[in-house]
Amino acid sequence: MGKITGFLEYERVKEAYEAPQARLGHWREFVATLTDAEAKKQGARCMDCGIPFCSNGCPVNNVIPDFNDLVYKQDWRRALDVLQSTNNFPEFTGRVCPAPCEAACTLNINDDAVGIKSIEHAIIDKGWSEGWVTPQPPQRKTGKRVAVVGSGPAGLACAQQLARAGHFVSVFEKSNRIGGLLRYGIPDFKLEKSHIDRRLAQMEAEGVEFYPSTYVGNPEDAQEGLTVRTPESLRAEFDAVVLSGGAETPRDLPVAGRELQGIHFAMDFLRQQNKLNNGDRLRGQISAKGKHVIVIGGGDTGSDCVGTSNRQGAVSVTQFELMSRLPEVENKPLTWPYWPAKLRSSSSHEEGCERDWAVSTKCFEGKDGKVQKLVAVRVEWVKDKATGQLKMREVEGSQFDLPADLVLLAMGFVHPVRKVLDAFGVDVDGRGNAAADTDSYRTSVDNVFAAGDMRRGQSLVVWAIREGRQCARSVDEYLMGTTTLPR
């Protein structure tokens, strides 16, 4: 390493945020990239630890010590080359990844981890600003054609890798714009869509063709106004088909009053705001303005609902989590280098939100068909002596209620849309995902592959990128008999 004692000399420096009250007035990103000097010090903190657990903790296996050292030496161009050798879209992960690499950092055993995510953010932003991120078209075409269904991070990563290998790649997306979850699932204040647009321009220059507003499946299942491509037509026209859609079936809350107006799935709420920010006109927008908002679910999607509700002008925002409150500091000797279970607060929580844990919703009550109140009860989790499993038990006399004009269900996703999988006739696993292993990514149907959330289930953007890259390698090997694409 360039600075052997850097981890002893320098403290971790966090990226600067715009003040909460200022950023609530707009939908733009509010995180400042590290300066060159700050990034240099963060790179210097990377230890000569021998075994880079950070690289193993990173789903795409970024070569983290190398680009940390290059940033310390201010060799930004080579740092970018190292970063892009394993990650097609570091501008996405540098903004929205929870950074499992930092949890696995050796320095994290007894100190603050190296700011790996902030360094990644700085490298790719400098790469774009300096004009170093350019199209990489193949030197020759193979004549093989691949259809990619779904344009989220898995589909885009797979498409880019296959195009660079020389195949003709077409990406089909049912939404009116390309990007999948990146476009319509992540709020603009976390990921501005200009980052997606410039990647799409790069990919088009590399030969990828995009077909938005196109539904792939049985015609009777398509929404009105969409172009329809049947599985039979794709399999006949293309040498391989990759299913890379998201886990889009949300977990519901089947309690009394669920049918009342004002209770919505989180992604419907978030998608609408992103569409508005993109210039679309909507009828009957789900709005938090002037309302008491309750978000059920304590994960990232719930946090995004909090930030969006506050920007829309909610009177109050309350977020519930069914599980007990986690400790603020993990037991590092017990959990390192694995991802720890601990309390995490997002930038959206800092902007204003009441949070509560170990709360179960009993029912919703309303008037004239509209929700007005949520009735809940406190619960405790008790270990079953026979099985050792935790079981939920209501706390007697703990029932309470809260005013609720808008309820957002952010409890995760259970599996992909089955109509698409059924249309292709692929087998599914016990969780309802496309059945395919991580060696070949092949489904039970010849020349049909699956990657990302559609194969793995609900997961992170960085995991989707990994799956897309690995699936591309398998497709290339299937088409050509051999491959030079990395795993």
Side-chain angles (χ1 to χ4, degrees):
M1 304 306 297
K3 185 70 171 177
I4 298 297
T5 58
F7 71 98
L8 297 172
E9 299 176 33
Y10 306 121
E11 295 183 356
R12 178 185 173 105
V13 176
K14 296 182 179 179
E15 293 173 312
Y17 285 19
E18 186 180 355
Q21 289 307 310
R23 67 190 191 229
L24 282 174
H26 61 78
W27 296 95
R28 302 184 303 277
E29 291 178 12
F30 50 82
V31 180
T33 308
L34 295 180
T35 65
D36 288 5
E38 290 170 337
K40 177 182 174 72
K41 287 185 177 180
Q42 280 302 293
R45 295 185 72 240
C46 187
M47 304 171 67
D48 188 12
C49 58
I51 300 176
F53 291 94
C54 56
S55 294
N56 187 62
C58 172
V60 293
N61 303 125
N62 278 335
V63 192
I64 295 166
D66 287 26
F67 68 62
N68 283 345
D69 183 50
L70 290 166
V71 168
Y72 168 71
K73 296 174 180 175
Q74 297 291 278
D75 191 345
W76 290 93
R77 184 63 183 267
R78 289 180 61 200
L80 177 67
D81 291 341
V82 172
L83 177 57
Q84 291 195 127
S85 70
T86 55
N87 188 350
N88 293 69
F89 312 120
E91 65 269 38
F92 303 158
T93 53
R95 286 167 167 80
V96 302
C97 184
C101 55
E102 294 186 13
C105 174
T106 301
L107 189 56
N108 191 47
I109 295 175
N110 64 348
D111 200 348
D112 291 330
V114 176
I116 301 168
K117 179 180 174 180
S118 62
I119 292 174
E120 179 178 339
H121 186 182
I123 293 171
I124 188 60
D125 278 15
K126 181 175 283 291
W128 279 109
S129 65
E130 295 291 337
W132 298 334
V133 183
T134 57
Q136 300 177 35
Q139 293 183 350
R140 64 179 181 86
K141 288 287 189 177
T142 64
K144 302 292 186 180
R145 301 178 64 83
V146 182
V148 177
V149 182
S151 67
L156 292 180
C158 184
Q160 185 167 61
Q161 292 294 95
L162 288 170
R164 290 175 175 178
H167 306 304
F168 292 96
V169 182
S170 299
V171 178
F172 299 93
E173 168 61 51
K174 67 178 182 297
S175 296
N176 63 335
R177 293 183 181 87
I178 298 297
L181 173 71
L182 298 167
R183 175 76 65 180
Y184 287 135
I186 300 174
D188 288 8
F189 57 80
K190 290 175 63 176
L191 178 68
E192 291 183 8
K193 307 317 172 195
S194 59
H195 303 302
I196 304 173
D197 294 336
R198 62 187 180 187
R199 274 295 177 185
L200 297 182
Q202 179 198 39
M203 292 175 66
E204 286 180 327
E206 293 171 347
V208 178
E209 296 180 341
F210 296 105
Y211 297 91
S213 300
T214 302
Y215 178 80
V216 176
N218 295 322
E220 60 269 22
D221 297 327
Q223 294 182 0
E224 186 178 354
L226 297 182
T227 301
V228 178
R229 293 298 305 268
T230 64
E232 294 77 16
S233 69
L234 287 189
R235 294 188 62 208
E237 181 180 343
F238 294 90
D239 300 289
V241 178
V242 177
L243 304 180
S244 59
E248 294 185 275
T249 304
R251 182 173 285 107
D252 208 342
L253 186 60
V255 298
R258 170 64 179 88
E259 74 285 353
L260 292 170
Q261 296 179 32
I263 304 173
H264 303 275
F265 289 118
M267 203 53 65
D268 294 336
F269 173 68
L270 296 174
R271 185 182 295 111
Q272 283 192 352
Q273 184 58 59
N274 280 7
K275 282 180 172 288
L276 287 171
N277 292 347
N278 272 267
D280 290 355
R281 293 184 178 181
L282 302 177
R283 292 182 179 179
Q285 181 198 359
I286 306 169
S287 175
K289 185 175 182 179
K291 295 178 181 178
H292 296 285
V293 180
I294 294 181
V295 179
I296 301 178
D300 288 341
T301 302
S303 170
D304 293 343
C305 289
V306 171
T308 301
S309 296
N310 279 324
R311 281 165 176 76
Q312 288 184 354
V315 173
S316 68
V317 182
T318 304
Q319 185 178 23
F320 288 152
E321 168 60 56
L322 183 63
M323 303 304 294
S324 301
R325 178 170 177 154
L326 294 169
E328 294 189 16
V329 179
E330 74 270 31
N331 185 338
K332 291 184 178 181
L334 180 65
T335 62
W336 181 90
Y338 301 108
W339 183 248
K342 67 176 182 179
L343 179 65
R344 291 178 171 84
S345 296
S346 71
S347 59
S348 292
H349 294 137
E350 297 170 358
E351 294 163 1
C353 173
E354 291 294 326
R355 304 171 72 187
D356 208 345
W357 292 264
V359 173
S360 177
T361 303
K362 296 287 287 184
C363 65
F364 301 106
E365 296 180 2
K367 184 179 180 181
D368 298 329
K370 297 181 180 180
V371 67
Q372 289 185 322
K373 181 167 58 176
L374 178 145
V375 180
V377 63
R378 299 199 177 276
V379 299
E380 57 184 359
W381 293 88
V382 182
K383 183 175 289 188
D384 184 272
K385 293 181 179 180
T387 64
Q389 295 179 332
L390 289 177
K391 292 190 175 181
M392 186 179 72
R393 182 171 66 192
E394 293 186 3
V395 177
E396 187 176 352
S398 66
Q399 185 168 304
F400 65 99
D401 55 65
L402 285 174
D405 305 309
L406 175 62
V407 179
L408 301 171
L409 306 180
M411 302 176 296
F413 300 85
V414 291
H415 53 70
V417 177
R418 284 296 300 272
K419 290 181 179 179
V420 176
L421 298 180
D422 292 344
F424 276 90
V426 303
D427 292 343
V428 298
D429 61 20
R431 296 184 299 156
N433 302 320
D437 60 40
T438 55
D439 289 326
S440 68
Y441 289 84
R442 295 179 66 171
T443 70
S444 58
V445 178
D446 184 46
N447 85 340
V448 177
F449 297 73
D453 288 5
M454 187 165 277
R455 189 209 67 83
R456 177 185 176 83
Q458 177 188 355
S459 193
L460 304 174
V461 169
V462 67
W463 271 108
I465 295 173
R466 173 195 172 104
E467 294 239 334
R469 288 172 60 88
Q470 291 193 339
C471 182
R473 176 183 170 87
S474 296
V475 172
D476 187 41
E477 188 172 28
Y478 166 78
L479 295 175
M480 306 303 294
T482 185
T483 182
T484 58
L485 290 177
R487 278 188 63 84

